[in-house]
Amino acid sequence: MSGHNKWSKIKHKKAATDAQRSKIFSTLSKEIIIAAKNGSDPETNFQLKIAVDKAKSLNMPKANIEKAIKRGSGELKNEAQLEEFLFEAYGPNQVAMLIKAVSDNKNRTLSEIKTALTKNGGKMVEAGSISWQFDQAGKIVLRKSEKSNEELEEILIESGADDFQVDEDEFIVYTAFQELQMVKENLEKTGLKIKEAGLTYLPQNKLELNDQDLEKYAEFFDKIEEQDDVVEIFDNIS
């Protein structure tokens, strides 16, 4: 089982800041819309359930959630269809990146992200150039618990989790992506509070940066993440 690292702390603080920005509701809406394409009932559509649960945990208004579900399931007419795209890129110091975007116009989104990368010292690469360096996995973020780390580790092992990371006052749990639903349900049965759950990409090999380069990358990361259609970025930084 894992500990924590400097980049995860930076991202944790960024996430807290991002939650105050208006873009967060737009991102959540897009995740719900994409998930609702496979069914409008969260009880039978696990992907939709975790998207809705995440939106609720960040206090997204109920009306916004319901509208996003209707748009994704096709109930709202004359709405542009959104699709999910995964772009591959290198950032400063050859940091490998997978950039997930949701858009109704792939060419526009590709052009905007490519421009942002180039302007800030990164570059887009062809599909397949980087994705092979990552494994898809399940990710569950647990809220702070009164249980000790030792107790939590025992619960996580019994739940079927593969690994976990201590991150400030949260515990980030990793699972095989096929077992995300099972592990989430097992953890809920123990009374642990889940903040969010979903799929992620974990690097097979991690890159270590010194403090100066890490700060430079954090600034670069912000520039790419602030693009309207970008919903999530995965990288190989340790």
Side-chain angles (χ1 to χ4, degrees), residues 8-231:
S8 70
K9 284 186 176 182
I10 291 173
K11 286 197 286 188
H12 176 85
K13 290 175 181 176
K14 275 176 41 58
T17 303
D18 288 345
Q20 307 303 318
R21 290 161 44 185
S22 60
K23 184 186 175 185
I24 191 68
F25 285 169
S26 173
T27 297
L28 292 168
S29 290
K30 289 175 180 179
E31 291 178 353
I32 292 171
I33 290 167
I34 293 297
K37 289 186 175 187
N38 296 318
S40 61
D41 184 358
E43 297 307 312
T44 57
N45 180 346
F46 180 65
Q47 183 185 0
L48 178 59
K49 178 173 174 54
I50 59 179
V52 169
D53 285 349
K54 180 179 179 181
K56 288 179 177 178
S57 75
L58 293 171
N59 300 313
M60 185 173 177
K62 183 179 179 182
N64 294 38
I65 294 173
E66 292 176 346
K67 182 178 180 180
I69 292 175
K70 288 179 179 179
R71 182 174 176 183
S73 62
E75 291 183 52
L76 297 183
K77 305 302 180 183
N78 302 318
E79 291 280 356
Q81 291 297 307
L82 296 180
E83 299 291 338
E84 187 174 274
F85 307 103
L86 194 66
F87 300 113
E88 304 181 27
Y90 279 112
N93 294 293
Q94 288 297 98
V95 174
M97 305 173 68
L98 297 178
I99 303 169
K100 185 164 76 172
V102 174
S103 168
D104 61 357
N105 187 323
K106 181 180 180 180
N107 289 335
R108 182 201 69 224
T109 301
L110 174 63
S111 176
E112 290 175 351
I113 294 176
K114 189 173 183 178
T115 298
L117 285 165
T118 303
K119 281 185 176 180
N120 293 284
K123 65 176 181 179
M124 185 85 72
V125 295
E126 293 183 3
S129 301
I130 287 174
S131 56
W132 64 270
Q133 301 177 38
F134 290 78
D135 295 318
Q136 195 171 35
K139 176 182 176 181
I140 301 170
V141 181
L142 301 176
R143 294 188 184 279
K144 187 176 181 180
S145 171
E146 294 180 357
K147 300 181 186 296
S148 68
N149 286 6
E150 291 75 17
E151 288 177 297
L152 277 171
E153 184 167 349
E154 185 174 344
I155 290 172
L156 295 177
I157 291 172
E158 291 178 353
S159 74
D162 288 342
D163 199 0
F164 84 91
Q165 175 179 306
V166 181
D167 196 0
E168 297 294 333
D169 60 349
E170 294 178 338
F171 290 85
I172 302 177
V173 181
Y174 297 104
T175 76
F177 76 93
Q178 307 96 323
E179 297 176 355
L180 174 61
Q181 182 172 1
M182 177 197 74
V183 174
K184 179 176 181 289
E185 291 173 352
N186 287 343
L187 292 175
E188 287 172 331
K189 290 175 184 176
T190 70
L192 291 173
K193 302 299 182 182
I194 293 175
K195 183 176 180 181
E196 64 179 86
L199 296 177
T200 189
Y201 289 88
L202 300 178
Q204 296 170 5
N205 296 291
K206 294 185 178 182
L207 178 67
E208 290 230 19
L209 297 180
N210 61 40
D211 289 353
Q212 183 178 354
D213 288 338
L214 190 58
E215 184 177 340
K216 180 180 177 182
Y217 177 71
E219 293 174 0
F220 170 83
F221 185 98
D222 282 342
K223 295 292 186 182
I224 307 306
E225 190 182 43
E226 70 186 15
Q227 299 302 304
D228 288 342
D229 297 330
V230 173
V231 296

